[in-house]
Amino acid sequence: MKPVLLIEFLRSCGAGELTKTEAQRYPWELLIRQSRRANLISRVALFLQEAGILDDIPAQPRQHFLNALRIAKANARATNWEVRDLYRILRGQNIDFILLKGSAYIWSENSASKGRLFSDVDIMVRESSLEDAERVLVHSGWMGSTLNGYDQRYYRQWMHEIPPLQHLKRQTTLDLHHSIIPPVSYPDFPAEKLWQQAIPAEDMPGLFMLSHIDMILHSAVHLFHEGEFDQGLRDLSDLDLMIREYILDGDLWEGLLLRAAELGLELPLYYALNYTQRVLATPVPEQILQKAARQRGRRHLPDGLLDLLFLAAFVPDHETCRVRGGKVARFLLFIRSHWIKMPWHLLFPHLVRKGWLRLRGENSH
Amino acid sequence: MLISDLDCNTLKTHLSGQGLRFRTGPFSVSLRATIPAIARHIAKLYPHSETLDNDAFIDFHITTHQVAGLRRWLKPQVVFSFDGYKPFKPLPLAQAAAAFEWGLNWCIASSSHQYLIIHSAVVEKDGQAVILPGSPGSGKSTLCAALIHRGWRLFSDEMALLSAADGMIHSVPRPVSLKNQSIEIIKAFTQEPVWGERIEGTTKGDIEHMCAPDSSVRQPPTAIHAKYLVFPHYQSGCLTEITPLSKGRASMNLIENAFNFNILGHQGFEMVSDLVDSLECYDFTYPDLKQALDGIEQITSAKP
């Protein structure tokens, strides 16, 4: 595969070689364009700032990075505000909740929070509090979206979250989960085990983050099972950063493998380790990767085919670097995510219906 | 070199090839478009813009292409894309020029946070700049179009760029967008300007773009300290009223018209406070264009 500037840049960040960048001669415009497309421009800007080379960059490209830093700061400020507001609402009913994904990274200020941009806030409550949580949120201005009856049933029957809620005034979207993996694909996923190891937030009883290892596993499940590869490289970068922060430093590789086995998430963990290592040069020890490969169990598709699809999908969909078949790869991965999620007798009618709606140009979820 | 120096074929070759690279205000744009209406729009409405070399840094790489596939024949559409990102749903092909203008507005407003960006026209005369923020229907663009044919210089029709670095308003003199009845009003008012093609049935009604005068685009200064903040309100049949606004009220109204106040946060608040502190602020209600022009003259000349 041809080297992609943005990917090379992220690899050199990981290797700590950013300071060697020749700031006067680097192709900044290309990096800005690719990273903007991959929703990574704020992260790139933050890495440049941390490496102390932002000031050496010529004024015009530097301005784009400074603006991207402002966007990330505003994103973090708004997210934390929403979290405090959700806490106020849910705490009033004694409903515990765990922050997930972007909002958790931002709140805990971990490495994946660096320049992380996202639009939805994701939280998880215990399945037993789901109804109460939805009711009190709706009363507080978080309205159910205008999905039709079919989509409503689809979410409530098969998924690990209810249909997205949207705040009446702020238009923020909230995903309310009761698990991290759809019950239809993994019927008895032990979500209570996530609660057992969740980390309480400081001074806010009832608010939790997933444990560091579970955070990595959730990120892996999300990326490799949910099939949204539009921002695949950003999500892979999250994994790279968190593996370096949480696992590499403490040499917790065995713990990561054990926990994945305990939760039945060996397959997404293997993909996470394999592809962060191959795409972003995350320093995963060889024997760990082999062990992860051995324990991953049932595969859905041959490795060679998945390599083709994943490696194409991680390249940003930008005209300066996109690979042939990238769009097809993303589409097939989307189909794959549904295939591993649902049995055929459910999936087939679902896809036919969605395909038909898409042909007619209607919005679909 | 200016866009007006390019002959029609060269312009089209750039647009359909590597992109036409040009400057508008503080921004550099590379535009690719094979749609003939876009080429005509650029030739007519951006003649005074400076073209840029291949090694110049480009802020916004933009394409406006016709949507491919069956729709091309059944219901031709145009889609705007900024580095592959498509902020809007496709529009009917006849609205291609509007798609470009709105798209470029979007690029600026969503990424140029070195400025507080206020939905507003800005005009200047004798070193005195007036900020005219406008909610839809306020008559901001109509007033702006008339003023620039009465000796005022166009700084901006759609967005005031208040720089975080120097507290000055930076000029971005792009075509003035007029809607519905305003088009006839301004055509009756002046024969001078060059007009783009009429674009009918957009979400904002019928639109015509008026070319920004050469003097606005190419003469210094490109940045200025504003002196007046005037909130225009067109109201048919009313009496002209010029009401001084308190600093607090003026700040709140300004913030309501800012696109990226949320991004700038605390700094945005400080910028608005500093700006409003240095301005004379008015609410201005007027019944027709003549009264509007008289009112602006009254506001800006009655002072020592």
Side-chain angles (χ1 to χ4, degrees), chain A residues 9-10 13-14 18 40-54 69 111 114 237 240-241:
Chain A
F9 177 89
L10 294 173
C13 292
L18 213 53
L40 276 166
I41 185 167
S42 297
R43 179 163 292 172
V44 165
L46 202 79
F47 287 160
L48 290 168
Q49 191 182 43
E50 286 181 346
I53 54 177
L54 202 51
L69 289 176
S111 54
K114 292 181 181 183
S237 165
D240 166 65
L241 293 171

Side-chain angles (χ1 to χ4, degrees), chain A residues 150 154 157-159 182-187 298 300 335-351:
Chain A
Y150 177 85
Y154 172 81
Q157 197 167 357
W158 310 121
M159 299 303 288
V184 66
S185 68
Y186 191 153
R298 187 171 74 93
H300 305 288
I335 299 285
R336 165 189 170 270
S337 76
H338 274 74
W339 174 43
I340 59 181
K341 195 148 63 185
M342 303 177 117
W344 275 109
H345 67 276
L346 294 176
L347 175 61
F348 188 68
H350 180 66
L351 288 181

Side-chain angles (χ1 to χ4, degrees), chain B residues 98-144:
Chain B
F100 164 71
E101 291 292 334
W102 296 338
L104 183 52
N105 288 343
W106 184 89
C107 289
I108 296 171
S110 65
S111 71
S112 305
H113 307 303
Q114 68 267 44
Y115 305 108
L116 179 71
I117 304 174
I118 303 155
H119 184 217
S120 166
V122 183
V123 292
E124 177 262 343
K125 190 162 79 175
D126 303 330
Q128 303 198 77
V130 186
I131 305 175
L132 297 159
S135 37
S138 64
K140 158 195 75 111
S141 289
T142 322
L143 186 50
C144 170

